[in-house]
Amino acid sequence: MKNVFEETQAGDAKKDAVLADNERRINSIDEAITVNAKKYPALKFYSKDDALVSAASYIMSFRDENRSFTGKTRYYDREVTFHKDGAASVTYCMDATQTYAKDGTTGKVDRSVKASPSDYVFYNTRLEKNAKGVWQTTTVSSTEAAKRCM
């Protein structure tokens, strides 16, 4: 599985740190789905509150059905906004048209499913900086088949 992130540098150190931790969170979720390991410390490191609960539920949906995915997923139009309370938001698009289902037992990849509008997802996330200086995602909302991402 390969994630391709665009807009990794905003030209501002604070925004760059937020983008980097947003990227690490996405990678931590994919790691929990695609790597056969007992523990996923990065998941709790980069997610908390509702975002951790929703990520765990998402991961378990793959585990319960003994499936995974492979291929390439692109993340783009990533924008950081800071809030008066010290939190930040990252909005971005995801293109999963080159991401394919993988059977967890056989390892067989299903490339028969054609790309569709639902492969384009818009995300709006809230991040809060913890005492260690890590921007943890606390909430996530998503819209499938987002026209702004197509």
Side-chain angles (χ1 to χ4, degrees):
M1 183 64 217
K2 179 179 181 180
N3 289 329
V4 176
F5 294 90
E6 297 178 6
E7 300 91 28
T8 58
Q9 299 287 311
D12 172 275
K14 193 173 176 184
K15 285 183 178 183
D16 291 349
V18 173
L19 287 173
D21 285 345
N22 166 256
E23 182 176 328
R24 290 178 187 117
R25 177 186 186 268
I26 292 166
N27 286 334
S28 74
I29 293 169
D30 288 358
E31 174 189 44
I33 294 169
T34 61
V35 176
N36 188 13
K38 298 286 183 199
K39 295 184 180 182
Y40 309 98
L43 185 64
K44 289 182 182 178
F45 196 76
Y46 293 106
S47 300
K48 72 175 192 173
D49 300 339
D50 289 344
L52 180 57
V53 172
S54 67
S57 176
Y58 179 69
I59 293 162
M60 288 310 298
S61 72
F62 282 89
R63 292 284 178 208
D64 289 346
E65 296 178 14
N66 195 25
R67 61 188 175 96
S68 182
F69 52 82
T70 190
K72 179 173 81 172
T73 306
R74 184 172 70 107
Y75 297 90
Y76 55 99
D77 289 346
R78 296 171 57 200
E79 295 181 14
V80 178
T81 305
F82 291 104
H83 303 281
K84 291 180 183 179
D85 66 358
S89 292
V90 178
T91 58
Y92 57 95
C93 290
M94 179 187 80
D95 170 1
T97 57
Q98 295 180 36
T99 306
Y100 306 100
K102 182 177 179 182
D103 185 287
T105 302
T106 66
K108 184 178 179 183
V109 176
D110 181 1
R111 296 181 191 272
S112 67
V113 178
K114 300 295 182 205
S116 74
S118 66
D119 289 323
Y120 296 93
V121 183
F122 176 74
Y123 289 91
N124 187 349
T125 62
R126 178 182 170 89
L127 296 86
E128 297 174 3
K129 194 173 185 180
N130 70 12
K132 295 180 180 180
V134 176
W135 287 95
Q136 294 181 300
T137 301
T138 60
T139 61
V140 177
S141 65
S142 62
T143 305
E144 284 190 19
K147 289 185 181 187
R148 71 182 288 168
C149 297
M150 291 185 219

